[in-house]
Amino acid sequence: MTPPVLRTLPDLRAATAPWRARAESIGVVPTMGALHDGHLSLVEAARAACDRVIVTIFVNPRQFNDPADLDDYPRTEAADAAKLARFGIDLLYVPDAEQIYPPRFATSVTVAGLTDVLCGAHRPGHFDGVATVVAKLFLQTGATDAFFGEKDFQQLQVVRRMAVDLDIPVAVHGCPTIREIDGLAMSSRNLLLSDRARTRAPRLHAEMEEIARGLAQGRAFDALRREAVARLEAAGFTRVDYLEIRANDDLGLLDAPTRPARLFAAAWLAGVRLIDNIPL
Ligand code: AMP
C-alpha cells in the first residue's frame, strides 16, 4: 500500500503526537524525490532501526544556486509513493513551500568551515539552504533519528555539525553510496543525462578508483590527479570542479590519506554536474 501523504505541518504534528507521547523512535529520511535505490536503502535502514519512519520529499528552492537546475529537477511524486509502498513506512511528508518558508520567513542556518570547501566553494548558498531546511524538517517531524547518504558526504558532515551545534536531539546516520552496476553513483540528476552522456558518466567513478589504486601503490596524488583529469576531459567531461583528498572529520585538504580520508570529485558532463566520493 502506498503510504499516507501529508502536506501541512498541522497534519504532520497531529499524526506524530501519539508517537511522541509513547516515546517511539521516529526515523526521518529527507529527500528531494525522484527516488532511486540509493534513497530506498536509507528507507530500509530507517525501517530497521526505528519504530516509525517518515520520508520527506521537498525540492528545496533555497539549496539551488542555479534557477535552471531548480526548474529542471525531476519531480515524480506518484512514482515515488509507489516505490515506497513495499517498505511499510508510516508517512510521506510532502510539504507545500509555505509549510517550510511561510511569509516573512527570515532565518538561515549557516555551518561555517565545513562549507568553505568542495561543493560549498562552488555552489554559493547551497549548504545554508540545506542546513536550514534540514533543521526545519528535524523540528517539524520530531525525528529521533535521521538517515543520510554518504553519496553527499559533505552534506552528511554539515548536517551532523548543525544538529550538534543547535542541540537538536537527532542521531544522524550515514549510509553507504548505492551505485549502478557500472559504478555510477545513483542520483536523481542521472535522469537528466542523455543516452550518450549516460554511457560516459561511469568514467568519473572509474578514474577515482584508479587514483585509489595508485595511492595504495605509493604513487603521488598530484600525478594521479593530472592523469585522471586528462582522461576525464578526453571522455567528454567539460570541467572538473574538484578532485581532492580530504579528511573525513573536518574535510581538511590532504595530499595523501594519512588519516581517515576520502577522495571527492565533482565534474560536469553534458551540462549535468556529477559528484562522487570514495573512502581511501
Ligand atoms: P536527494 O534527494 O538527492 O537530496 O538525496 C536524499 C538523500 O539520499 C540524501 O541523504 C542523499 O545523500 C541520499 N542519496 C542520494 N543518492 C544516494 C546514493 N546513490 N546512495 C545512497 N544515498 C544516496
Side-chain angles (χ1 to χ4, degrees):
M1 227 179 35
T2 56
V5 180
L6 299 184
R7 298 183 193 276
T8 70
L9 179 55
D11 286 352
L12 178 67
R13 288 253 159 88
T16 54
W19 307 346
R20 282 196 298 274
R22 290 194 294 267
E24 292 176 336
S25 57
I26 303 176
V28 170
V29 181
T31 81
M32 298 203 299
L35 300 184
H36 50 63
D37 285 353
H39 298 115
L40 298 178
S41 74
L42 308 182
V43 176
E44 220 156 25
R47 187 68 287 176
C50 298
D51 299 321
R52 302 288 177 175
V53 176
I54 303 174
V55 174
T56 73
I57 298 179
F58 181 63
V59 182
N60 175 30
R62 293 193 181 218
Q63 72 187 70
F64 286 81
N65 49 307
D66 172 0
D69 187 26
L70 174 60
D71 288 345
D72 292 348
Y73 202 84
R75 289 163 172 86
T76 60
E77 186 187 317
D80 292 344
K83 283 181 190 164
L84 290 168
R86 68 187 159 97
F87 294 93
I89 67 166
D90 296 273
L91 280 183
L92 176 57
Y93 181 49
V94 189
D96 319 324
E98 314 85 74
Q99 306 299 314
I100 304 291
Y101 304 118
R104 299 202 295 281
F105 185 84
T107 300
S108 179
V109 179
T110 297
V111 178
L114 287 174
T115 61
D116 293 343
V117 301
L118 300 172
C119 286
H122 290 270
R123 302 185 63 190
H126 168 69
F127 284 116
D128 287 3
V130 170
T132 304
V133 79
V134 171
K136 292 205 56 145
L137 290 170
F138 282 4
L139 296 169
Q140 291 194 351
T141 56
T144 58
D145 297 79
F147 297 80
F148 287 83
E150 290 180 344
K151 154 85 183 354
D152 303 283
F153 193 84
Q154 185 176 21
Q155 168 174 279
L156 170 64
Q157 298 302 57
V158 167
V159 167
R160 285 186 162 137
R161 184 79 262 148
M162 179 276 292
V164 169
D165 288 356
L166 297 183
D167 305 310
I168 301 179
V170 176
V172 176
H173 305 268
C175 304
T177 301
I178 305 298
R179 298 180 179 280
E180 305 286 356
I181 295 182
D182 58 18
L184 177 65
M186 289 190 184
S187 165
S188 306
R189 284 197 177 80
N190 294 349
L191 295 172
L192 305 175
L193 292 167
S194 66
D195 288 350
R196 181 143 178 272
R198 175 64 189 80
T199 62
R200 295 171 169 205
R203 193 55 151 160
L204 182 62
H205 177 249
E207 292 298 343
M208 294 172 76
E209 291 291 349
E210 190 63 32
I211 290 176
R213 272 193 294 276
L215 289 169
Q217 292 161 2
R219 292 194 58 203
F221 177 59
D222 239 21
L224 291 165
R225 184 188 184 287
R226 241 178 294 119
E227 292 165 14
V229 169
R231 283 192 297 262
L232 286 169
E233 287 173 354
F237 284 79
T238 47
R239 195 168 83 222
V240 176
D241 276 353
Y242 56 76
L243 181 54
E244 295 173 348
I245 303 171
R246 289 189 175 266
N248 288 353
D249 52 3
D250 60 4
L251 302 182
L253 188 64
L254 303 173
D255 50 22
T258 45
R259 52 194 176 111
R262 305 178 82 91
L263 180 64
F264 293 87
W268 290 83
L269 177 65
V272 180
R273 187 170 182 273
L274 302 177
I275 65 170
D276 204 345
N277 70 87
I278 58 171
L280 294 172

